[in-house]
Amino acid sequence: MVEFEKYKLDNGLTVIIHEDRSTPLVAINILYKAGARDEDENRTGFAHLFEHLMFGGSVNIPNYDEPLQRAGGENNAFTNNDFTNYYLTIPSQNAETAFWLESDRMLSLAFTEKSLEVQRNVVVEEFRQRYLNQPYGDVWLLLRPLTYKVHPYKWATIGIEPSHIEKASLDEVKAFFKKHYHPSNAILCIAGNITIEEAKALTKKWFAPIPDSGISIKNLPAEPAQEMARTLTVERDVPYSNIYKAWHCCSRFDTEFYATDLLSDLLSRGKSSRLYQTLVKEKRLFAEVSAYMLGELDKSLFVVEGKLTEGIDPASGVRAIDIELEKIKHFDNETELEKVKNKTEASLIFSEMNVANKALNLSYFEMLGDAGIANKQSELYTKVTADEIRKVASKLFTDNNSSTLFYLAKS
């Protein structure tokens, strides 16, 4: 059980404080409810661009990393389709340095043509190196638009194409910041070796004066139900052919999320899982195979991907996957289900050992509606029944709901 106190500042910033005297560190996590899904289809990649821009310095602090490192701190960030997250850890005696740094870039991030040009070049180079010129790098640039036709999940976090960032103007970047990176669209979590009183005082001092620029209203189009199977075949200079098969599934808010997540574990978590035992070990059709759900805030995807053994026909590989998925529609093995539940519970317990993880978890579940949901995860997974697994599998794994990417090695 992670105990915490939660409140809101007058400017709309949600604040969560968790006191943990067992660590010498303080973790600060700021989650902005802005991800790739909040971008314009003609200007994608902006959320990821801001992940870089936020480290480029503010009006008052030209170099974010230097004062943090001098105070013994470490930091990082990540962006996905739903949100952008910035986090750091710092020795507790230097905690105020972290409040100073984070509040200043929320208040007055530096926007100059020079800083934009530097980070724009970094992001474009990353796009080319990691997604266009790396084996299997463009998989999600292909799979997302194959599975989504309306919802902005149809583009990856990096964006649709490099030109969207190359052509981004300073005014467009400023407008995106003003719309999304303000107090009422953010969640601040302070966790670690700091008293609640100290954390409240520092939060009031550094964050309360920041004016709010408005509320980011989300009006995203819903993806219509898929009514026909989709396939796409590409050839690339890669060592092995891969198969990616995706189905539309529930959102992170839906109650069936927990059964769907455990379904993916039953299929591919560990070498005793169904797909590994049958498709890798027994039939030797695949060198690797995995199943997972993306768990996004809106209706998401369940994916099975596998690296075909050399010489295996891709169609045979897909048929073998479909056979295993048909079997799990009749699942009734309580012992097997209990095993994956135990693994999940162990992972949840482990995630609470690190103060930075606790800060992230509390921020994430607050975004879902209540930070307290973090303390109910084990119970919600434990309640899943074999009947729920069967119902989710039967609903999910239908031909009309499937999209298959054949990512083939050139002959």
Side-chain angles (χ1 to χ4, degrees):
M1 175 72 71
V2 179
E3 296 182 353
F4 62 90
E5 187 166 325
K6 181 178 73 174
Y7 63 100
K8 270 194 178 185
L9 297 179
D10 290 341
N11 59 13
L13 179 66
T14 299
V15 183
I16 302 167
I17 304 171
H18 164 65
E19 187 175 339
D20 180 359
R21 310 302 278 184
S22 68
T23 173
L25 302 173
V26 169
I28 290 186
N29 193 97
I30 297 186
L31 184 153
Y32 290 96
K33 291 178 273 187
R37 69 176 188 161
D38 298 297
E39 298 162 349
D40 184 284
E41 188 170 357
N42 298 309
R43 280 292 184 268
T44 59
F46 270 44
H48 179 69
L49 174 64
F50 265 96
E51 181 188 325
H52 291 261
L53 282 171
M54 291 284 270
F55 291 101
S58 61
V59 173
N60 302 307
I61 308 167
N63 187 327
Y64 174 93
D65 287 326
E66 184 179 341
L68 181 66
Q69 291 169 358
R70 285 186 176 184
E74 297 179 345
N75 72 91
N76 214 327
F78 64 86
T79 310
N80 59 33
N81 286 68
D82 293 317
F83 63 94
T84 305
N85 197 72
Y86 300 87
Y87 57 98
L88 64 83
T89 55
I90 194 167
S92 59
Q93 64 269 27
N94 296 330
E96 188 164 8
T97 299
F99 282 84
W100 166 58
L101 287 168
E102 290 299 336
S103 64
D104 198 66
R105 65 178 176 178
M106 181 186 286
L107 171 66
S108 51
L109 190 66
F111 290 106
T112 65
E113 289 288 358
K114 181 179 178 180
S115 66
L116 175 58
E117 184 65 21
V118 169
Q119 298 305 328
R120 186 163 45 199
N121 290 339
V122 169
V123 172
V124 169
E125 184 63 20
E126 179 184 349
F127 199 132
R128 288 173 177 154
Q129 291 298 322
R130 292 183 58 188
Y131 295 86
L132 301 182
N133 299 325
Q134 182 169 298
Y136 310 104
D138 62 342
V139 165
W140 285 99
L141 302 182
L142 300 168
L143 193 55
R144 281 193 175 274
L146 179 64
T147 53
Y148 289 100
K149 301 302 179 184
V150 173
H151 193 281
Y153 284 162
K154 64 184 175 180
W155 59 81
T157 306
I158 194 67
I160 293 176
E161 57 184 61
S163 65
H164 287 188
I165 296 299
E166 288 174 327
K167 296 176 181 178
S169 70
L170 189 60
D171 286 341
E172 288 174 323
V173 169
K174 286 181 178 179
F176 191 82
F177 180 82
K178 183 177 180 181
K179 182 177 181 180
H180 298 293
Y181 295 81
H182 54 83
S184 64
N185 203 42
I187 299 165
L188 166 67
C189 183
I190 306 115
N193 193 1
I194 187 170
T195 67
I196 290 177
E197 291 72 24
E198 288 175 304
K200 282 185 173 181
L202 289 171
T203 300
K204 182 179 180 180
K205 176 181 178 180
W206 291 105
F207 284 93
I210 301 175
D212 192 51
S213 61
I215 298 174
S216 298
I217 299 173
K218 299 184 188 295
N219 187 22
L220 305 179
E223 182 70 18
Q226 186 173 331
E227 298 179 348
M228 184 180 298
R230 301 168 185 161
T231 61
L232 174 66
T233 302
V234 298
E235 288 191 352
R236 296 287 190 268
D237 284 318
V238 292
Y240 299 99
S241 294
N242 279 21
I243 293 172
Y244 301 85
K245 192 160 187 176
W247 298 261
H248 291 278
C249 68
C250 64
S251 78
R252 186 60 182 83
F253 293 99
D254 294 330
T255 54
E256 64 190 64
F257 166 83
Y258 298 95
T260 310
D261 195 25
L262 289 178
L263 172 61
S264 71
D265 289 347
L266 288 166
L267 288 170
S268 76
R269 187 167 186 172
K271 292 188 176 181
S272 62
S273 62
R274 292 181 168 223
L275 295 183
Y276 182 87
Q277 283 292 314
T278 304
L279 304 184
V280 178
K281 189 174 180 181
E282 295 174 16
K283 297 184 178 179
R284 301 184 182 276
L285 296 172
F286 291 87
E288 299 172 5
V289 66
S290 61
Y292 52 90
M293 67 177 303
L294 299 185
E296 292 167 317
L297 297 188
D298 291 332
K299 297 297 183 182
S300 191
L301 293 178
F302 190 104
V303 181
V304 175
E305 64 175 78
K307 180 184 294 182
L308 285 165
T309 303
E310 190 170 358
I312 298 299
D313 175 46
S316 299
V318 169
R319 283 195 296 271
I321 290 172
D322 289 341
I323 289 170
E324 293 308 305
L325 300 183
E326 192 63 34
K327 288 179 184 177
I328 208 162
K329 293 179 183 179
H330 308 283
F331 177 79
D332 63 354
N333 191 325
E334 293 291 348
T335 302
E336 191 179 357
L337 180 56
E338 191 64 28
K339 185 169 72 172
V340 297
K341 286 181 180 179
N342 290 340
K343 288 182 178 180
T344 298
E345 185 172 16
S347 297
L348 291 170
I349 293 171
F350 184 77
S351 73
E352 294 181 358
M353 296 176 67
N354 182 294
V355 69
N357 284 347
K358 285 192 283 187
L360 170 58
N361 288 342
L362 290 170
S363 302
Y364 174 76
F365 285 104
E366 180 61 25
M367 178 180 62
L368 294 185
D370 180 12
I373 302 173
N375 291 321
K376 300 176 182 178
Q377 293 305 289
S378 181
E379 176 187 353
L380 291 168
Y381 279 106
T382 300
K383 286 182 177 179
V384 173
T385 65
D387 184 54
E388 289 177 290
I389 296 293
R390 289 192 294 271
K391 287 179 179 177
V392 166
S394 297
K395 176 183 176 181
L396 195 61
F397 301 132
T398 65
D399 286 341
N400 288 348
N401 188 38
S402 69
S403 298
T404 307
L405 170 63
F406 292 98
Y407 198 96
L408 307 182
K410 287 185 178 180
S411 303

